[in-house]
Amino acid sequence: MYSKSMGLEAEQNRKYLPWIYLGVFLLVTAGCYAVLQYVVPMGDDLFYGRWGRLDAGELLARIVQHYQTANGRNLVHLLDAVLLGSDGRVAFARVFIAALLGTIALNLTRLTADGWRRTIAVAVLCACGIFLLPAVLTRQSVYWITGAMNYVLPLALFLEYWVLLRDALSGRRGWLPAAVFGALAGLTVEQASMMAVGLTVLLVGEHWLVRRQGFPKKALWPLLLSAAGAASILLAPSVAYRASITPPPVEGGTLAVVKYNVLQLRQTFLFGDTLFPIHFLMLTAIPLWLLLRAARRRSVPDGVFAVLSVISFSVWFWLPEQVPELLWNSPEVPARVAAYALAVLGGYLLCAFYISVRSAMEQEWTPLFALILGVGSQVMMLVSPTVGPRTMLCGAVMLLLLTACLMREAPYLYLLGAGSILAWHWGQGWAAAVVAAAALLWLLCRYFPARAVCVALCCVPLLFCAWTTLKGQHDGYRANAAVDAANRLAIAAYDGSDRLTQHRFANDLYGWAMPYHNDYYDAYYKEYYGLPREVELIWE
């Protein structure tokens, strides 16, 4: 009977999992494209878009010069130039970026799939996690074409590499696709390239040293190719050049910069708007996982850490209201405020590390690897003089992956609880009625219609929160696109006079830098739109 039921489960997984994967890909692609259709060239788009109008020889010369003086991200900037060279290519870029985001959600789901019923909940979480990314983060890394090439594309390649390498090590797939994507991930940007190398070491080490299945010699290909890609970026001549001309945020050398960036994490990473929904999802998953484990296995350590995780979540959630200095955009805060932030961060990381190690002891290594790679992606930025919200997308996606692993312990209870609390926090009192209705239907769960409706209700609050965030960004970018369209009409009607009036975005939160923010982009704006250099732009 047991083997028969296992066979039925395997058959259902083969039948339903591909449809779940397709569903989450299409949902995220469509949802993100709803915003991306209104994303217009801005900031560095204006710089790289000029390259897309050059012939192959001139473009190659610009790429080589850029490698010497700017950074080593040749693959990324080549794609930038190709995708920004004309209005038609910009339209394609919007579709391409949406598909990349759909691929990220797809591979997050594949990496945490555990039976088709649980995987539906995982897919909902992964889709909602991407939709919930706040505008302060997405304006720099997602809904901006150059930003997406620098942060979304590398993550999509990295996660595809993770899936392919895992499958190659298990014998379900050949090594060539893993080697190709390892090389591509390594050639993108600093964070993703180092994560690709680190992932290879972690997965091969677990296969060889923990499972004792022998060293997979063919794994040397993806390892060497990803490392070569990373070396081409990190050892580019431009790295030393940029370091010599970029002023640090504080005086005192590298240690002073590290201290400055650590203190800034209080507002940019932990308590600010940048990652609030992602931390919320993570900090509600940790207590639930530990409480269920403590109850089912009567584990005292799990119980102790469950209490600690509840305290960590409560303090993280409520403390900014009591200590508003935590949200100051400055490292200069009272010592007690810095101590509060470090204490909360310490408790958060300690609980996350504990559950990751507990999972690894049960041969579930994905949580630990996600935590190592996520923390590592942020630690490596501590030495940088220019840390911004865009550099936290890698860490956010790794936290989302870790959350997806944890919520499988009680997937629909988690979706209901986390979604309802978040909806309530955002002023949606009806979430309490959803909880009550779901509880009533759970009592009738032996009946199929009641069970199906209960499952659907559990997803409603979090889906609503995700839709609210996505709609806000959709409306914001649509308003800015209307302004951009009016500016283009004014450019088309330009009669050669000394001045040309252009209008500012309706809301700068839903866009990146423009010439009225930074004169650096003035010349590039004029060249991109075919305006003479001598014309004065009047921004109203």
Side-chain angles (χ1 to χ4, degrees):
M1 181 65 70
Y2 177 74
S3 60
K4 184 177 180 180
S5 64
M6 291 290 290
L8 178 62
E9 179 72 15
E11 182 181 346
Q12 290 177 334
N13 287 340
R14 286 193 296 270
K15 180 180 179 181
Y16 296 127
L17 283 178
W19 291 104
I20 296 170
Y21 297 151
L22 178 62
V24 72
F25 171 78
L26 293 177
L27 174 63
V28 172
T29 299
C32 291
Y33 182 74
V35 179
L36 282 159
Q37 65 178 318
Y38 297 115
V39 170
V40 300
M42 48 197 168
D44 289 346
D45 295 343
L46 307 171
F47 177 86
Y48 294 111
R50 304 169 307 135
W51 292 8
R53 299 162 185 170
L54 304 174
D55 61 38
E58 291 176 314
L59 176 59
L60 180 61
R62 293 291 182 94
I63 291 290
V64 171
Q65 180 188 27
H66 208 58
Y67 187 74
Q68 298 286 333
T69 59
N71 57 55
R73 306 173 182 180
N74 284 346
L75 175 62
V76 164
H77 297 315
L78 178 62
L79 281 172
D80 267 339
V82 171
L83 293 173
L84 288 161
S86 68
D87 288 346
R89 285 187 255 171
V90 168
F92 174 79
R94 296 174 181 132
V95 178
F96 179 54
I97 295 165
L100 290 175
L101 290 160
T103 302
I104 289 174
L106 165 65
N107 282 327
L108 288 173
T109 306
R110 292 167 72 188
L111 286 168
T112 51
D114 182 23
W116 68 272
R117 293 179 179 85
R118 286 189 176 91
T119 303
I120 291 174
V122 168
V124 170
L125 173 70
C126 293
C128 289
I130 291 174
F131 293 154
L132 283 166
L133 291 172
V136 69
L137 173 64
T138 58
R139 68 190 290 258
Q140 295 188 18
S141 59
V142 178
Y143 301 128
W144 172 39
I145 295 173
T146 295
M149 290 301 100
N150 278 269
Y151 299 99
V152 173
L153 172 66
L155 268 172
L157 292 173
F158 168 74
L159 289 171
E160 182 66 25
Y161 174 53
W162 192 332
V163 171
L164 293 172
L165 183 58
R166 181 195 64 177
D167 290 350
L169 286 167
S170 65
R172 296 196 298 269
R173 199 186 298 262
W175 285 94
L176 180 59
V180 170
F181 274 86
L184 290 174
L187 284 168
T188 52
V189 297
E190 295 82 356
Q191 284 176 297
S193 62
M194 290 303 296
M195 289 170 70
V197 175
L199 174 68
T200 311
V201 172
L202 291 170
L203 285 180
V204 172
E206 184 253 341
H207 177 88
W208 178 31
L209 301 175
V210 178
R211 299 185 186 275
R212 300 188 181 278
Q213 296 184 9
F215 182 78
K217 294 182 181 179
K218 292 184 178 180
L220 289 174
W221 283 109
L223 176 61
L224 292 175
L225 288 171
S226 61
S232 73
I233 296 174
L234 297 173
L235 301 180
S238 51
V239 173
Y241 175 73
R242 286 284 293 271
S244 67
I245 65 172
T246 303
V250 291
E251 300 295 332
T254 302
L255 289 179
V257 172
V258 170
K259 180 182 177 182
Y260 173 88
N261 286 331
V262 168
L263 292 176
Q264 281 290 82
L265 289 177
R266 163 190 47 77
Q267 187 269 338
T268 59
F269 179 79
L270 188 60
F271 288 108
D273 293 335
T274 309
L275 292 180
F276 175 84
I278 302 301
H279 287 316
F280 181 91
L281 294 175
M282 179 70 174
L283 284 167
T284 48
I286 291 175
L288 179 63
W289 191 92
L290 288 167
L291 288 168
L292 290 174
R293 288 297 184 95
R296 291 170 181 171
R297 306 187 182 193
R298 301 185 184 279
S299 169
V300 174
D302 287 352
V304 171
F305 275 91
V307 173
L308 177 60
S309 66
V310 170
I311 294 172
S312 296
F313 170 73
S314 301
V315 173
W316 171 83
F317 193 72
W318 295 109
L319 193 59
E321 294 183 7
Q322 309 302 320
V323 187
E325 297 96 327
L326 287 167
L327 302 178
W328 285 2
N329 186 21
S330 168
E332 301 298 328
V333 294
R336 63 180 179 83
V337 175
Y340 293 158
L342 290 175
V344 174
L345 181 61
Y348 183 174
L349 292 177
L350 182 62
C351 291
F353 180 73
Y354 173 79
I355 58 176
S356 299
V357 171
R358 288 281 288 164
S359 296
M361 292 171 62
E362 298 173 8
Q363 301 305 309
E364 174 53 74
W365 291 86
T366 302
L368 183 59
F369 292 168
L371 181 65
I372 291 172
L373 295 168
V375 171
S377 72
Q378 299 309 130
V379 169
M380 68 178 290
M381 297 306 301
L382 294 179
V383 299
S384 173
T386 54
V387 178
R390 59 188 178 275
T391 64
M392 296 175 188
L393 185 63
C394 288
V397 172
M398 289 298 99
L399 288 177
L400 185 58
L401 176 58
L402 178 51
T403 303
C405 291
L406 299 180
M407 61 94 72
R408 294 176 303 181
E409 196 74 14
Y412 294 101
L413 175 61
Y414 169 77
L415 289 177
L416 178 64
S420 298
I421 296 172
L422 185 59
W424 167 78
H425 178 61
W426 286 353
Q428 303 298 321
W430 54 262
V434 174
V435 173
L440 177 61
L441 288 168
W442 181 80
L443 296 176
L444 304 173
C445 64
R446 70 177 65 184
Y447 305 106
F448 174 74
R451 184 166 64 246
V453 174
C454 181
V455 165
L457 273 179
C458 288
C459 301
V460 167
L462 192 60
L463 284 169
F464 175 83
C465 293
W467 176 81
T468 300
T469 301
L470 193 67
K471 184 180 185 302
Q473 299 195 40
H474 167 274
D475 293 347
Y477 280 95
R478 183 175 61 178
N480 287 347
V483 174
D484 179 77
N487 285 340
R488 286 172 179 251
L489 288 175
I491 291 172
Y494 173 64
D495 58 4
S497 58
D498 294 337
R499 293 185 174 187
L500 176 64
T501 298
Q502 297 280 273
H503 295 281
R504 297 169 181 257
F505 281 157
N507 190 333
D508 285 331
L509 179 62
Y510 302 106
W512 192 224
M514 292 291 284
Y516 61 84
H517 295 120
N518 189 337
D519 289 340
Y520 170 80
Y521 296 109
D522 184 79
Y524 301 139
Y525 186 89
K526 294 172 184 175
E527 185 176 350
Y528 186 84
Y529 289 111
L531 293 168
R533 283 182 173 268
E534 59 271 14
V535 64
E536 181 184 0
L537 298 179
I538 308 299
W539 292 94
E540 296 181 347

